[in-house]
Amino acid sequence: MTTCWYEGALAAFDTETTGVDVETDRIVSAAVVVQDAPGVRPRVSRWLVNPGVPVPAEATAVHGLTEDHLQRNGRWPAPVMYEIAEVLAEQAHAGRPVVVMNAPFDLTLLDRELRRHRASALDRWFEPAPLLVLDPRVLDKHLDRYRKGRRTLTDLCAHYGVTLEGAHDAAADAVAALEVTRAVGRRFASRLERLAPGELHTLQAVWHAAQARGLQAWFARSGVEESVDPAWPLRPDLPAAA
């Protein structure tokens, strides 16, 4: 019997950043973890980046990385972004799904960093083999849509009984997101076990778009002037100003 995806090999990717704007903020740390099977100790790749721009105090308050520490210990972005893209491409080539919590944030940030420092889009790395993304936020929101409350990684860990040690460390968050995704798979096995990761990737794009439309409608009713991007797992590049 073929092992279903949530009991098989998975990878996960996470970043810590200077802020929450994917177009202008920068990556200050990143991690990719690879777990060959549930319960097996994951292999962890970590990167620390000197972003070359100021690190706001609000960002440091979240992840604990100061501008001084990053200047002393971080590497320049160009080689780091290349290495991260290469490691993700390795997962794609192996057919190993990559868990990315709130994928449009981290993957779009990585894409913009690659464009900024290497004049290359992230998609280029996945021309030989597509990246198969599992986003626990999208999965949970679709499969348990009427549950009240927030759906941050901390909230999902609490809901699915996953221990989150060292929140807002890229590696710790990646491992936790991976475990949450396995837990979602098991809890909703009857709806997920027959789906291959490629099929699930396509479905998540549809589910996320529907979720974005729902949130946009809620903003409109609430008088909140904020736009919600329906693109998943990567936001398209903004057109250059005329």
Side-chain angles (χ1 to χ4, degrees), residues 144-162:
D144 197 1
R145 67 181 70 186
Y146 299 113
R147 189 177 82 249
K148 301 291 186 186
R150 300 169 68 216
R151 299 182 195 242
T152 66
L153 180 59
T154 303
D155 297 318
L156 294 186
C157 284
H159 182 71
Y160 288 98
V162 171

Side-chain angles (χ1 to χ4, degrees), residues 28-179:
V28 296
S29 72
V32 174
V33 303
V34 179
Q35 188 182 48
D36 294 323
V40 174
R41 187 181 181 89
R43 302 187 297 280
V44 181
S45 300
R46 302 172 187 265
W47 294 269
L48 195 64
V49 187
N50 177 358
V53 299
V55 180
E58 305 85 59
T60 297
V62 172
H63 49 59
L65 298 169
T66 65
E67 191 171 330
D68 179 65
H69 178 77
L70 293 167
Q71 287 176 350
R72 290 172 184 270
N73 301 286
R75 296 167 57 204
W76 287 113
V80 171
M81 302 312 151
Y82 178 86
E83 288 170 19
I84 296 170
E86 285 285 297
V87 171
L88 291 176
E90 289 171 15
Q91 311 313 311
H93 183 73
R96 189 180 295 118
V98 178
V99 172
V100 191
M101 172 76 185
N102 191 16
F105 179 76
D106 295 81
L107 292 179
T108 304
L109 255 169
L110 177 58
D111 174 77
R112 303 311 192 251
E113 289 277 49
L114 286 164
R115 292 169 186 263
R116 187 177 291 125
H117 296 290
R118 306 220 44 121
S120 179
L122 179 59
D123 284 345
R124 183 180 77 76
W125 269 266
F126 307 121
E127 286 168 359
L131 185 69
L132 303 175
V133 177
L134 297 169
D135 188 334
R137 190 165 179 264
V138 174
L139 292 170
D140 172 73
K141 204 168 183 181
H142 177 78
L143 295 161
D144 197 1
R145 67 181 70 186
Y146 299 113
R147 189 177 82 249
K148 301 291 186 186
R150 300 169 68 216
R151 299 182 195 242
T152 66
L153 180 59
T154 303
D155 297 318
L156 294 186
C157 284
H159 182 71
Y160 288 98
V162 171
T163 301
L164 174 54
E165 296 176 355
H168 300 296
D169 168 81
D173 285 358
V175 169
L178 189 152
E179 294 296 344

Side-chain angles (χ1 to χ4, degrees), residues 16-19 21 24-28 51 53 109 113 116-117:
E16 297 301 330
T17 66
T18 59
D21 187 326
T24 59
D25 279 305
R26 310 297 174 90
I27 293 172
V28 296
V53 299
L109 255 169
E113 289 277 49
R116 187 177 291 125
H117 296 290

